[in-house]
Amino acid sequence: MLAGAQEQGAAWRSLLAAFARAGDGAERYTLAAEPATATELIIWESPSAPPANWRAPHWWLAAPSPAFPELANASTLNINGLTLKYADSPRGRLWTSDAFPPRDADTARALYEAWQQLSPAPAPAYPMPSQTLGGTRSALPAITDAKPAAWLALVLLALFLLERILSHARRS
């Protein structure tokens, strides 16, 4: 979502168009006037405060403004030659930099690569689907070739006798 960016709106639009073409060619960035539930990025360039109900995981702020007091304690991150400042707020993570909006192709490329490095990697696919087990025991097949318990008792008795005989033989 691109909001409050009348002066630099063309620069932001060209950056988002370059982002859309840089990856796998899929159109991932659509511009809207207001955020929707699927909005992941809001670009805010106005010095005034946005509406209180606007939320997104990430906000790009062209310049620090009094509307975002969280940036007073912002952390700094240097990546790809860019200095990014970020802070968490109830609205989402706020990002600001002197590179917003990029003024040339090299800065735009560095910003794209930095944004890709900061994005979480997708979870690996599981090699096999999970197994669904039946809820009742009647679904299990009956054991047909089971030996009687008497055989097991005789085998254990024979092992016990063998152990005792070998134990006495070792002592003598």
Side-chain angles (χ1 to χ4, degrees), residues 34-131:
E34 289 192 13
T37 56
T39 301
E40 294 186 17
L41 173 66
I42 295 177
I43 300 173
W44 188 260
E45 198 174 74
S46 174
S48 64
N53 61 348
W54 283 16
R55 305 260 187 279
H58 299 281
W59 289 66
W60 284 1
L61 309 173
S65 88
F68 300 97
E70 297 90 353
L71 289 174
N73 300 326
S75 300
T76 303
L77 175 69
N78 291 314
I79 185 169
N80 285 349
L82 299 175
T83 302
L84 299 171
K85 293 182 180 180
Y86 66 95
D88 290 326
S89 78
R91 293 182 175 129
R93 179 162 280 183
L94 308 173
W95 296 87
T96 187
S97 175
D98 294 334
F100 288 166
R103 290 151 190 82
D104 58 8
D106 291 335
T107 307
R109 182 178 302 112
L111 181 60
Y112 176 77
E113 290 171 357
W115 193 245
Q116 293 304 310
Q117 289 176 358
L118 291 171
S119 297
Y126 290 105
M128 205 172 138
S130 62
Q131 183 179 6

Side-chain angles (χ1 to χ4, degrees), residues 18-26 28 112:
F19 273 25
R21 289 182 187 88
D24 55 2
R28 291 196 179 109
Y112 176 77

Side-chain angles (χ1 to χ4, degrees), residues 137-146:
R137 293 189 58 100
S138 64
L140 298 174
I143 301 173
T144 57
D145 59 344

